[in-house]
Amino acid sequence: MANIIISPSKYVQGKGELANIAQYATKLGKKPFILISEGGKKRVGGIIEDSFKDTGCELVFEAFHGECSKNEINRLVAIVKEKGCDLVIGVGGGKIFDTAKAVAYYVESPVIVCPTIAATDAPCSALTVVYTDDGVFEEYLWLPANPNLVLVDTDIIAKAPARLLVSGMGDALATYFEAKACQASNATSCAGGHITIAAITLAKVCYQTLIEEGVKAKLAVEAGVCTTAVEKVIEANTLLSGMGFESGGLAGAHAIHNGLTCIKDCHHLYHGEKVAFGTLTQLVLENADEDLLDEVITFCM
């Protein structure tokens, strides 16, 4: 079996970058379908509309109903076809990205992902996690390609609640340990092959970045500022973890997360918070070195 690594076609991260979305989007389509929450549209809809002024593009905004389910995907596919849109843009959090990617796949259009939070590693992947309408994990939808563009405005992400950034660190925390487990067992990664040197290196750097910068980033976001530590953690949560998990592989941490979605008392917890618990459980199952366990548990606390 071949060694394989996959990634989005383009990744752009920086302060104020959402204002530049039109310069990228107009190369991909002329009638964008923009999936966004009602609250998200109030916060950043104006920035998007201003970016598209004088481009001749017709924007179609649609409110996300809250769950990446088959029913929601089918509802949105019907709207995209009815409106004749030729580009899908997902703006918001993980379930919006995953839904936008699935819709783009079914209507055979390009897709742009614009995170307003860094709470998961979903933006860069060729994967949609499908849930029931009640939020219980149902299946993975493996997509033939990664997003055409991931556009990350760090000013916007830094203004989100600190718990969301920390949740993203919880999701990213699993990346290296799951990739190592897949490498050790010679498993097939989500990319459809064995792990490359590049993928395991990205996964390792992801973990190192969290340990070195995570606490500083949390404190900065709580203070309402976007520091170098915040920028690094956003990249770790989004790009390093996204490429690392997809081309490295998933193991115990995410399997345990998927089981937790069936427990009603866990529904209030964010994805990354459940993945972090799964990571600790996986390390115990692997009889990890005590010093490593101490480091990871201390970080989580």
Side-chain angles (χ1 to χ4, degrees):
M1 184 180 292
N3 297 342
I4 301 175
I5 187 168
I6 56 177
S7 70
S9 297
K10 181 172 285 189
Y11 179 87
V12 178
Q13 175 180 318
K15 298 178 181 180
E17 280 298 325
L18 188 61
N20 299 323
I21 185 172
Q23 74 181 64
Y24 302 105
T26 51
K27 295 179 175 68
L28 298 171
K30 298 301 179 186
K31 191 173 183 180
F33 176 84
I34 302 172
L35 183 63
I36 191 169
S37 68
E38 291 181 2
K41 188 178 180 184
K42 289 177 184 176
R43 288 192 301 274
V44 303
I47 298 172
I48 296 170
E49 289 171 333
D50 287 345
S51 181
F52 279 95
K53 278 184 180 177
D54 304 320
T55 63
C57 292
E58 180 185 346
L59 306 185
V60 177
F61 284 92
E62 179 63 29
F64 180 56
H65 285 183
E67 199 55 72
C68 182
S69 65
K70 291 178 181 177
N71 286 333
E72 177 69 349
I73 291 167
N74 291 337
R75 179 184 77 86
L76 296 168
V77 165
I79 296 172
V80 171
K81 290 181 177 179
E82 178 191 348
K83 300 289 186 181
C85 297
D86 57 4
L87 168 64
V88 176
I89 302 176
V91 183
K95 292 191 176 182
I96 287 180
F97 314 148
D98 277 5
T99 306
K101 288 184 288 184
V103 170
Y105 164 65
Y106 286 120
V107 302
E108 299 181 335
S109 82
V111 61
I112 295 175
V113 170
C114 302
T116 57
I117 58 176
T120 72
D121 53 18
C124 293
S125 72
L127 168 68
T128 287
V129 184
V130 180
Y131 296 85
T132 67
D133 291 329
D134 296 323
V136 176
F137 170 79
E138 188 166 350
E139 65 182 8
Y140 290 124
L141 173 63
W142 303 101
L143 305 170
N146 299 70
N148 300 81
L149 169 68
V150 177
L151 184 66
V152 182
D153 190 323
T154 52
D155 270 342
I156 292 171
I157 290 174
K159 291 181 174 67
R163 182 181 172 189
L164 292 170
L165 186 72
V166 172
S167 174
M169 288 190 249
D171 198 16
L173 183 66
T175 306
Y176 180 48
F177 301 113
E178 290 190 294
K180 281 208 306 179
C182 289
Q183 188 179 51
S185 62
N186 208 30
T188 303
S189 73
C190 306
H194 290 155
I195 302 172
T196 61
I197 296 170
I200 197 71
T201 301
L202 287 171
K204 186 173 184 180
V205 171
C206 178
Y207 176 69
Q208 291 170 339
T209 302
L210 297 180
I211 296 299
E212 293 168 8
E213 309 289 347
V215 174
K216 290 186 289 183
K218 174 183 181 289
L219 294 172
V221 168
E222 287 176 338
V225 293
C226 185
T227 63
T228 299
V230 175
E231 292 270 0
K232 289 182 177 181
V233 166
I234 290 172
E235 183 177 343
N237 287 5
T238 309
L239 181 63
L240 299 180
S241 182
M243 290 183 66
F245 98 76
E246 189 167 40
S247 297
L250 299 175
H254 274 80
I256 291 161
H257 160 273
N258 293 346
L260 292 175
T261 66
C262 299
I263 302 173
K264 190 174 181 180
D265 289 346
C266 292
H267 282 186
H268 69 286
L269 297 170
Y270 291 140
H271 171 82
E273 293 169 343
K274 289 178 279 194
V275 171
F277 176 82
T279 302
L280 293 171
T281 309
Q282 178 182 318
L283 290 173
V284 171
L285 288 168
E286 292 173 339
N287 195 30
D289 177 81
E290 188 174 349
D291 289 339
L292 176 60
L293 272 176
D294 285 342
E295 181 175 75
V296 177
I297 292 169
T298 300
F299 175 78
C300 288
M301 292 174 66

